[in-house]
Amino acid sequence: FGNLTHCRFVVEVDAGQNQSPCIYEAAALSHGLGRADGAGWSANCGQDNQGHLIYGPYVTTLPAGVKRAQFQMLVDNNTADDLPVVALDVYDATAGRVLAWQAITRKRFWSAWIWQTFELPFENTAGHALEFRVWWYDVAYIQVDKITIVQPLNGLRGEYYRDFGALALVRC
């Protein structure tokens, strides 16, 4: 494994539900700034001002219960400083409230130019319109590939992280 210092495997578990994950491609969602870029949607400091890089889709079909929004992103430089580069949130547009929020700093990325997934657990109310949003702070190039919604095994809120560990998820 060369210079690899840590690794995380994601094991998808069906548990007899035969459900597929809900995948939202970044380029197909709504945007307050940025542009189509390779596999996703990006913003850079030379062309954009801070704002919502990604928002939407106002989905109302997710079943009730605990879910995880997985945001797949990359950054151009993960060592320059430790400022927040994006804030991720899950917004319930029906109730008018944020269900989950997390700022992601530059150093939370393991490497530059490598796709990495950041997860937000949230609890959904059936029939509510949900947005999965990325607020960009105008301090680094960021590209978002997709947002995937999965249901954790048995509604599990914790994560299993360790070197060469595993995280088990049930498809939503």
Side-chain angles (χ1 to χ4, degrees), residues 30-92:
S30 298
H31 313 99
L33 55 98
R35 65 216 36 83
D37 186 356
W41 197 264
S42 72
N44 67 71
C45 299
Q47 294 179 279
D48 302 296
N49 294 314
Q50 74 175 354
H52 277 110
L53 181 59
I54 305 286
Y55 64 95
Y58 303 95
V59 62
T60 59
T61 57
L62 292 178
V66 176
K67 309 277 184 264
R68 286 192 178 276
Q70 300 175 328
F71 297 79
Q72 186 169 326
M73 303 181 296
L74 62 77
V75 68
D76 63 338
N77 180 319
N78 68 322
T79 61
D81 53 48
D82 204 22
L83 294 172
V85 293
V86 295
L88 309 176
D89 75 53
V90 177
Y91 182 75
D92 183 330

Side-chain angles (χ1 to χ4, degrees), residues 52 95 122 129 131 139 152 161:
H52 277 110
F122 67 96
E131 284 186 84
V139 296
Y161 286 105

Side-chain angles (χ1 to χ4, degrees), residues 121-161:
F122 67 96
E123 189 154 357
N124 182 47
T125 301
H128 282 214
L130 297 183
E131 284 186 84
F132 309 105
R133 307 187 299 189
V134 178
W135 177 270
W136 181 70
Y137 285 111
D138 193 12
V139 296
Y141 169 91
I142 290 287
Q143 186 177 14
V144 180
D145 176 35
K146 63 187 171 191
I147 300 166
T148 304
I149 310 305
V150 296
Q151 178 175 323
L153 183 62
N154 297 325
L156 187 66
R157 291 179 189 264
E159 299 173 5
Y160 297 102
Y161 286 105

